[in-house]
Amino acid sequence: MKVNGKILESYMPMTVEGLVLGAGYMLDRVAVELNGRIVPRSEYPRILLKDDDSVEIVGFVGGG
C-alpha cells in the first residue's frame, strides 16, 4: 500500500484507525484520504486497508 507517497509493506490486516495510530498521529488531529476520497472519522475503525490502496494522512497543527 502507498501511504503519503511511500510504499508501506503490511503483513497483517490493518484498519485506517490502526494505520493512523501506528504512524503516531492523534485521531482527532488528522484527515485521511483513501484512494482519492476523504474518509469520515467514524469509519476509521471499520475500513480494512488492502495492498493496492493509496492513503494520504494530513495532520493538523495548531498555532497562531
Side-chain angles (χ1 to χ4, degrees):
M1 123 182 47
K2 189 182 282 189
V3 179
N4 291 345
K6 297 180 183 176
I7 301 296
L8 175 69
E9 298 283 333
S10 177
Y11 299 102
M12 67 174 101
M14 184 182 314
T15 62
V16 170
E17 181 178 74
L19 177 65
V20 170
L21 293 174
Y25 293 98
M26 294 173 51
L27 294 173
D28 62 344
R29 301 231 180 227
V30 297
V32 177
E33 180 183 279
L34 174 61
N35 301 322
R37 299 184 68 202
I38 299 295
V39 179
R41 190 170 293 126
S42 63
E43 295 295 314
Y44 290 5
R46 290 186 267 258
I47 297 176
L48 280 176
L49 298 169
K50 300 180 288 290
D51 289 337
D52 61 344
D53 283 335
S54 179
V55 181
E56 293 291 325
I57 303 172
V58 179
F60 303 118
V61 179

